[in-house]
Amino acid sequence: MSLFGALSAKPWLESGSGGFPVSGRLRIPTARLGLIFFLVVVTVLFLLLTVAYLMRMGFGDWVPLSEPPVLWLNTLALVLSSAAFQWSWVSVRRGRRDAARTGLLAGGLFAALFLAGQLVAWRQLDALGYFVASNPANTFFYLLSALHALHLLGGLVAWGRTAWKFRRSAGTNELRPSIELCTLYWHFLLAVWLALFGLLLADNGGADAMLQPMQHMH
């Protein structure tokens, strides 16, 4: 077929059925495609809020928020949660059902610890006088961290449905898609949180404090 012929071809009209030909169907499962689309939307949302955060920092009434130490523990909990999901995903692909269940349960447990730690962080900030409406930096922190926590709560719903499949003795072939989607979602939420936490550290000078020892070495 010539180049012009290839460009002008309309396979959906040549199939004779009026629908898409079998060869033209997407090979990505619908659930995974839906999750990818959702993650793109959420990424745009957090990017817009981050841009607004960076622009608002330039105003005179901006007072950087001091991060409570518990945020470091929360970050560790989310890293372990994501790692546990990855372990579960690898295990179910290899047919190791018990290991996949252990990884899934551990991932949910560490995610719950992260959420509990976020509540502790918010209570500590409130006790120190960092109220939501007292400064724009406080408002942004509570808004961004709450949005992230809500998405994690939504993920725990999917986690619960996957855990229920284990309870009713579903096979590894049935479990694989659910665990894969949970793992992808948790990795995404970990990346978002690391970006948000890094933004907070850079805002209050934490990044400079970490870089100073490295600068003295040169």
Side-chain angles (χ1 to χ4, degrees):
M1 181 182 293
S2 66
L3 176 61
F4 177 79
L7 293 175
S8 61
K10 299 179 178 59
W12 60 90
L13 296 179
E14 296 167 0
S15 62
S17 61
F20 287 99
V22 175
S23 59
R25 291 176 180 170
L26 292 173
R27 295 184 177 181
I28 302 177
T30 304
R32 190 191 304 173
L33 186 63
L35 177 61
I36 292 174
F37 179 76
F38 176 72
L39 296 185
V40 170
V41 173
V42 175
T43 300
V44 172
L45 171 65
F46 276 103
L47 281 177
L48 290 175
L49 288 173
T50 300
V51 170
Y53 185 100
L54 294 173
M55 293 178 65
R56 192 62 180 82
M57 285 171 60
F59 288 74
D61 60 342
W62 184 275
V63 179
L65 183 146
S66 179
E67 80 280 0
V70 72
L71 288 183
W72 289 97
L73 294 177
N74 297 348
T75 302
L76 176 62
L78 196 58
V79 169
L80 292 175
S81 178
S82 187
F85 273 102
Q86 181 65 30
W87 181 32
S88 179
W89 167 230
V90 171
S91 297
V92 78
R93 288 179 62 186
R94 295 177 178 175
R96 299 185 303 184
R97 191 175 183 281
D98 291 341
R101 181 178 57 187
T102 301
L104 185 78
L105 294 178
L109 175 63
F110 283 122
L113 287 176
F114 172 83
L115 291 175
Q118 293 295 77
L119 287 176
V120 172
W122 292 334
R123 289 178 62 87
Q124 289 180 349
L125 288 172
D126 185 73
L128 292 172
Y130 291 101
F131 305 119
V132 176
S134 59
N135 189 270
N138 303 352
T139 306
F140 268 97
F141 172 76
Y142 284 110
L143 173 63
L144 290 170
S145 57
L147 276 176
H148 180 268
L150 285 176
H151 283 89
L152 193 58
L153 278 174
L156 284 177
V157 174
W159 171 85
R161 295 179 61 181
T162 307
W164 176 253
K165 291 181 180 178
F166 272 102
R167 185 175 177 80
R168 62 179 178 83
S169 302
T172 53
N173 289 335
E174 183 182 352
L175 291 167
R176 283 180 62 173
S178 299
I179 295 178
E180 179 188 14
L181 295 181
C182 284
T183 304
L184 176 62
Y185 191 62
W186 251 258
H187 290 344
F188 171 78
L189 289 180
L190 173 61
V192 170
W193 172 249
L194 291 178
L196 296 179
F197 194 36
L199 185 65
L200 176 65
L201 292 176
D203 185 21
N204 64 20
D208 292 338
M210 288 187 293
L211 291 175
Q212 281 180 358
M214 298 178 63
Q215 293 172 350
H216 289 306
M217 295 175 63
H218 297 285

